[in-house]
Amino acid sequence: MSPNPAILDVDPGHDDAVALMMACGHPDLDLLAVTTVAGNVSLEKTTRNALRILSLIGHTRVPVAAGAAKPLQRALRTAEDIHGESGLDGLEIPETTFAPDERGAVALIADTLRASPEPVTLIPVGPLTNIALFLREHPELKEKVSHVSLMGGSIGLGNTTPAAEFNIYVDPEAAREVFASGLSITMCGLDVTHQAGAGPEERERLRSIGSAGTVTAGFLDFFAATYERVFGFDAPPLHDPVAVAAVLEPRLLTTRPMRVDIECESELTRGETVCDYHGVTGKPSNAEVGVGLDREGFFELLYDALDNL
Ligand code: BDR
Ligand code: CA
């Protein structure tokens, strides 16, 4: 099988960092570019973190470009309570050995799509600001996007407000534009990412599989402490790697076609992904929404990918 060409849009973030390493480690994915967005922490920090992770694993030939420093219309809300001040607290990792690509995220996405002989998968795992801006500026390149596998949203509970998941809450207007774009979308929301919790057993296994596994386990030790303090979870969810896994092994994710509309107006439910599970609106579906995850298969895929680094 020839590798799936993909662009990862991230806001690292512990789980973003694991998603980056997973994408670099798996031979079935050809990571053409990485773009960064403000989310978990400021754009300056997410960009530094993406560069540091790629430096650490020696993947410095992947171009990394900084994108939006704030959401389309709103002030940025960050998540230091979950990821710490740096966005990657808990483990000291060296400084970057390479510089960001000066074109910026939207131009890098556009140039990468133009240069690719085949359509490319987009994997956004932060707020959808960069993807919305790309679609506004380059609607003609939509046909070069084969699929979007995104981490965001929830059919059920939120994690930032009772109704909203973080990535969609931060930039609901961008999410509305992406879900209305007509692109083929898989939504990996909290319903499935909460099934990817890395408990003590998984973290022990990670420690036994080389330096990328040890780094991942180190990040997850910090993430475990914050998830326990903030949410009372005993295993921190590997949210963003689920969106990568859905590209590598689609059968790991059980999905259901649904109409997903984004609430942008209400004070109470802003950022909610309103998923028409039972098709009561009669509107056509615009996303395959994750409803189940093969948890064991997901972790095996992660171990295999990290083992290659
Ligand atoms: C999402 O929010 C961020 O904190 C994580 O990196 C993930 O993308 C989970 O709601
Ligand atoms: Ca993220």
Side-chain angles (χ1 to χ4, degrees):
M1 194 178 103
S2 66
N4 202 334
I7 298 174
L8 200 51
D9 184 71
V10 293
D11 63 332
H14 297 78
D15 54 329
D16 302 74
V18 182
L20 267 172
M21 291 191 276
M22 187 182 192
C24 289
H26 204 289
D28 293 348
L29 202 134
D30 184 9
L31 187 60
L32 301 177
V34 170
T35 51
T36 58
V37 65
N40 285 319
V41 284
S42 68
L43 180 69
E44 196 190 326
K45 291 179 184 175
T46 59
T47 305
R48 170 175 176 248
N49 291 342
L51 291 165
R52 288 198 298 157
I53 292 294
L54 292 172
S55 300
L56 187 72
I57 59 174
H59 281 242
T60 54
R61 281 166 63 186
V62 181
V64 177
K70 61 183 207 45
L72 294 181
Q73 300 183 15
R74 299 175 187 268
L76 175 65
R77 148 96 183 241
T78 51
E80 283 86 0
D81 55 333
I82 304 291
H83 299 274
E85 282 303 315
S86 71
L88 277 183
D89 277 13
L91 193 71
E92 285 302 317
I93 57 167
E95 267 317 319
T96 174
T97 59
F98 70 122
D101 189 296
E102 284 179 1
R103 282 172 286 182
V106 169
L108 178 60
I109 294 172
D111 288 351
T112 305
L113 293 184
R114 275 193 213 99
S116 174
E118 37 178 328
V120 174
T121 300
L122 301 183
I123 313 178
V125 296
L128 288 162
T129 324
N130 287 341
I131 309 303
L133 289 171
F134 157 72
L135 291 170
R136 283 182 184 185
E137 278 184 45
H138 299 282
E140 79 288 356
L141 286 173
K142 262 204 309 203
E143 63 197 30
K144 295 297 294 278
V145 178
S146 54
H147 188 67
V148 179
S149 178
L150 64 89
M151 191 285 133
S154 164
I155 305 169
L157 306 175
N159 63 357
T160 301
T161 71
E165 180 278 330
F166 180 78
N167 289 338
I168 308 297
Y169 179 81
V170 170
D171 199 343
E173 286 78 15
R176 183 180 266 180
E177 292 184 21
V178 172
F179 276 89
S181 67
L183 288 171
S184 154
I185 295 176
T186 298
M187 174 179 129
C188 304
L190 299 178
D191 317 277
V192 283
T193 67
H194 281 176
Q195 295 174 38
E201 212 177 287
E202 285 78 26
R203 303 208 293 279
E204 254 343 280
R205 172 82 185 269
L206 283 164
R207 268 181 251 281
S208 74
I209 55 169
S211 59
T214 310
V215 169
T216 298
F219 283 146
L220 291 176
D221 288 343
F222 179 88
F223 212 35
T226 57
Y227 258 85
E228 186 171 11
R229 180 170 42 76
V230 178
F231 296 109
F233 282 17
D234 56 7
L238 282 168
H239 300 286
D240 297 346
V242 172
V244 177
V247 175
L248 288 168
E249 290 275 3
R251 62 172 185 82
L252 294 176
L253 199 73
T254 307
T255 63
R256 191 174 158 122
M258 288 181 217
R259 175 74 188 194
V260 180
D261 286 307
I262 313 297
E263 175 57 59
C264 295
E265 282 79 33
S266 156
E267 256 317 295
L268 190 61
T269 60
R270 157 187 158 200
E272 181 173 2
T273 43
V274 181
C275 297
D276 187 4
Y277 190 93
H278 293 294
V280 292
T281 62
K283 291 184 187 168
S285 66
N286 57 357
E288 286 288 329
V289 177
V291 294
L293 180 74
D294 171 350
R295 182 192 148 77
E296 235 172 77
F298 166 78
F299 275 102
E300 286 307 322
L301 186 70
L302 176 69
Y303 302 145
D304 284 351
L306 296 181
D307 206 13
N308 290 328
L309 290 170

